[in-house]
DNA sequence: TAAAATATGACAAATTCATGACAATGATTT
DNA sequence: AAATCATTGTCATGAATTTGTCATATTTTA
């Protein structure tokens, strides 16, 4: 699942440039010319990141950012502000309002990508392309390969996403419902118990390199991917 | 066929410097002293990248950039603007017009090369036209020839481009949409499933030298060109 | 031991992919 | 100009894989 990035920018040329850049980087770009229109889009899909121009017609970017951050539904969506000048004052205000980062125009595409990646890494690590290695188990999103002690481990699509999520959020317990949200997607209706089956399938596959114990059951709560055995305390 | 880079710069000394630098880096340099002359050159060959000075006699660089970006034929050619040092306003306008990056004068050759490389790679990694050899399969972009274990393998145009892209971006998984963007071109409307057919045609051709397994299907994601068998990891 | 929660095996439905056929297009030759 | 050939995109079909659910163990907890 690639990250959805919403661009709110009234200047068509810059919007186009941003969208292009985002697409190039392998993300999905949604666009809006105004805060008002953006608000409508949010009703359909919640993006994983918002690029927000400081200067907007109608509701200003700064005002919109504040509003996004005060709404429980959108509060957790990271925001990168686009500011025209290297004005310290703007930056301060931007961060005050809750923006996660800012980029000053003109920006180099590379810088923009770096910041997007950094922000995504913080909030939705499994959306980034970084390879992960834990206890001899490696997962590489770009090649779509999983190896345990250098032995290839074939996985179905769902198991791959599941493992990817687990490894990006290791050591934490995830309820079945959370897993369904994060791995299957928001608007899917699937039985909670189905998760159990996929856990089993994943464990089964991981047995090839004896990594099956990395997936731990937390009775009454859910599952956890952990490098520490559940036998001993950390 | 190395990448052709067109330098549009009215100052002969700087033009010389740029051209030298470009040649040093292994690209092919075309030169123009004015936008008007550049326009003529474009009729013969479309370069893979344009270095465009902001200040030009006659039609200004910024104006020319806009024109290039509004013409369907040249729209997709990346542009790097050369701007006078620290002129914030120029940069903004440059990016507005659709430039892909900018370099401020005076520039270090290293920086310039880095940016050229970055832009080219982003745009078309397979443009770097060194011959490629993987697992006994060779592709030479200059001669437009493919051989498997020294046996000639005839390919249609699309299959050739497809293989070229695969070999220049080996090991990575590419979705059908990505392949359409990169191999067919951005603004082409073609069914996703059409990729499957061309994959088959390519595999078919590669069977001549038993290289068909280099093209791997990654269910649910796309395709991958990989020297590693999907059974075992290296 | 009973109750609750999880693991597992089986299976049918759904999805995804491979493949062959075919028509449209454009280039080349007759 | 007509005919031939190569290339390309689309579709229909069948094969293969994946996936969600259920029924039935098995384990854990009280």
């Amino acid at each position: 699942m690639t990250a959805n990035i919403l661009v709110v920018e009234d200047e068509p040329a810059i919007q186009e440039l941003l969208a292009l850049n985002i697409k190039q980087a392998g993300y999905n770009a949604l666009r809006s010319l105004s805060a008002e229109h953006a608000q409508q889009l949010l009703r359909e899909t919640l993006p994983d990141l918002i690029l927000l121009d400081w200067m907007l017609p109608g509701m200003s970017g700064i005002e919109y950012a504040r509003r996004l951050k005060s709404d429980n539904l959108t509060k957790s969506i990271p925001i990168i502000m686009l500011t025209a000048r290297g004005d310290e004052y703007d930056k301060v205000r931007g961060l005050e309002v809750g923006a996660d980062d800012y980029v000053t125009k003109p920006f180099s595409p590379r810088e923009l990508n770096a910041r997007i990646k950094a922000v995504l890494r913080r909030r939705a690590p499994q959306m980034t392309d970084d390879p992960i290695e834990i206890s001899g188990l490696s997962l590489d999103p770009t090649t779509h390969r999983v190896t345990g002690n250098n032995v290839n481990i074939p996985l179905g699509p769902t198991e791959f996403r599941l493992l990817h999520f687990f490894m990006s959020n290791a050591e934490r317990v995830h309820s079945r419902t959370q897993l369904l949200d994060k791995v299957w997607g928001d608007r899917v209706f699937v039985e909670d118990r189905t998760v159990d089956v996929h856990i089993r399938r994943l464990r089964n596959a991981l047995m090839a390199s004896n990594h099956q114990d990395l997936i731990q059951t937390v009775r009454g709560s859910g599952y956890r991917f952990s490098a520490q055995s559940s036998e001993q305390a950390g």
Side-chain angles (χ1 to χ4, degrees), chain A:
Chain A
M1 248 203 283
T2 57
N4 292 313
I5 300 184
L6 173 61
V7 178
V8 189
E9 162 69 62
D10 64 306
E11 181 69 46
I14 296 192
Q15 193 197 70
E16 180 71 28
L17 179 65
L18 288 167
L20 218 71
N21 202 51
I22 287 171
K23 249 185 108 181
Q24 257 336 303
Y27 307 109
N28 198 13
L30 312 172
R31 314 160 177 220
S32 240
L33 290 170
S34 69
E36 289 75 11
H37 179 239
Q39 200 55 28
Q40 288 195 359
L41 278 186
L42 289 190
R43 276 193 213 114
E44 297 166 31
T45 334
L46 289 182
D48 304 295
L49 172 66
I50 298 180
L51 285 189
L52 185 55
D53 189 19
W54 179 272
M55 301 276 281
L56 282 179
M59 188 188 299
S60 81
I62 197 81
E63 201 178 328
Y64 186 42
R66 177 177 297 128
R67 187 160 149 185
L68 285 170
K69 285 301 181 183
S70 65
D71 183 340
N72 258 330
L73 197 64
T74 55
K75 179 184 286 180
S76 63
I77 301 175
I79 297 177
I80 296 182
M81 298 286 294
L82 304 171
T83 77
R85 27 195 178 172
D87 195 331
E88 277 303 312
Y89 179 64
D90 282 8
K91 296 178 193 167
V92 173
R93 280 196 65 199
L95 293 176
E96 253 174 28
V97 160
D100 295 71
D101 204 346
Y102 59 86
V103 174
T104 58
K105 292 190 262 188
F107 46 83
S108 82
R110 203 164 35 176
E111 180 191 357
L112 179 64
N113 281 336
R115 291 193 188 267
I116 287 177
K117 199 167 174 181
V119 168
L120 279 182
R121 206 193 322 268
R122 225 174 309 151
R123 179 191 122 90
Q126 78 275 20
M127 295 285 190
T128 68
D129 276 350
D130 305 319
I132 316 172
E133 197 277 345
I134 297 178
S135 295
L137 185 66
S138 309
L139 182 149
D140 187 335
T142 66
T143 65
H144 218 271
R145 273 206 159 99
V146 175
T147 66
N149 301 325
N150 292 324
V151 178
N152 190 54
I153 297 179
L155 290 180
T158 304
E159 278 70 59
F160 184 89
R161 287 201 309 274
L162 184 57
L163 181 60
H164 190 188
F165 177 76
F166 269 136
M167 294 185 75
S168 318
N169 303 82
E171 304 302 338
R172 199 179 323 186
V173 180
H174 307 283
S175 74
R176 291 175 175 73
T177 306
Q178 282 172 332
L179 287 173
L180 284 177
D181 277 358
K182 299 289 192 170
V183 178
W184 272 254
D186 286 332
R187 53 194 85 267
V188 188
F189 173 64
V190 169
E191 289 291 324
D192 264 25
R193 284 292 150 202
T194 297
V195 173
D196 297 28
V197 178
H198 283 275
I199 290 282
R200 167 175 148 274
R201 285 170 182 159
L202 180 52
R203 279 175 174 156
N204 240 355
L206 293 183
M207 277 173 55
S209 62
N210 201 37
H211 280 98
Q212 71 285 126
D213 293 335
L214 291 177
I215 313 271
Q216 300 171 358
T217 304
V218 181
R219 201 183 167 80
S221 299
Y223 297 94
R224 168 177 56 201
F225 183 99
S226 172
Q228 307 161 36
S229 145
S230 52
E231 305 303 315
Q232 350 168 306

